[in-house]
């Protein structure tokens, strides 16, 4: 079992309860949960982060941008610091903004490809 400290619940300040599931290590407390030792979050936040990742990952998985470049582009498109662009730490209010930012990035990437094709 991991020696990392269990996440602290942002609701009550106590350490989360660790359990082993068939999907891996899970932490729970006050209706919040996380996988591994990541920060605890509610269902809406997990859902918003999952959708943000689904949309964002297409940027670098398509091969148009490297993964690091995609995070830099997200920082540019949102005006957030690079360190604030990782979905794992985003509050749901920020995660729901990622799809629109990714559309902005795709518009630039698609425009760049059009310019490359005419050169």
């Amino acid at each position: 079992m991991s020696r990392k400290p269990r996440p602290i619940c942002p609701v009550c300040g106590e350490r989360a309860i660790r359990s082993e599931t068939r999907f891996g290590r899970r932490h729970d407390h006050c209706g919040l949960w996380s996988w591994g030792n990541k920060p605890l979050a509610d269902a809406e936040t997990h859902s918003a982060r999952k959708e943000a990742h689904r949309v964002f990952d297409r940027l670098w998985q398509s091969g148009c941008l490297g993964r690091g470049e995609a995070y830099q582009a997200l920082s540019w498109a949102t005006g957030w610091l690079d360190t604030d662009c990782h979905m794992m730490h985003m509050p749901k209010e920020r995660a729901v903004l990622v799809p629109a930012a990714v559309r902005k990035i795709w518009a630039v990437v698609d425009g760049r490809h059009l310019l490359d094709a005419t050169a």
Side-chain angles (χ1 to χ4, degrees):
M1 191 150 322
S2 173
R3 295 288 175 202
K4 290 182 180 179
R6 295 170 301 181
I8 295 174
C9 177
V11 175
C12 70
E14 292 184 22
R15 292 237 177 243
I17 298 166
R18 178 182 293 148
S19 60
E20 294 294 330
T21 73
R22 66 184 183 136
F23 302 108
R25 182 175 301 122
R26 180 177 160 136
H27 292 93
D28 296 274
H29 213 281
C30 294
L32 309 177
W33 77 92
S34 69
W35 296 102
N37 285 342
K38 296 179 173 63
L40 299 175
D42 63 14
E44 288 179 0
T45 301
H46 282 287
S47 180
R49 289 175 181 170
K50 185 176 180 180
E51 177 62 11
H53 246 304
R54 185 187 71 76
V55 172
F56 172 78
D57 287 350
R58 290 180 180 166
L59 280 172
W60 62 271
Q61 290 173 345
S62 70
C64 290
L65 296 172
R67 190 171 182 189
E69 291 174 313
Y71 276 105
Q72 289 174 344
L74 183 59
S75 176
W76 164 81
T78 58
W80 304 334
L81 298 173
D82 290 352
T83 55
D84 293 334
C85 290
H86 295 279
M87 280 25 108
M88 172 181 45
H89 297 290
M90 282 185 189
K92 65 184 164 222
E93 296 81 9
R94 181 167 282 190
V96 298
L97 301 175
V98 170
V102 169
R103 285 192 297 276
K104 181 177 177 179
I105 296 165
W106 275 119
V108 172
V109 169
D110 288 343
R112 185 181 70 202
H113 286 298
L114 291 173
L115 289 175
D116 291 345
T118 60

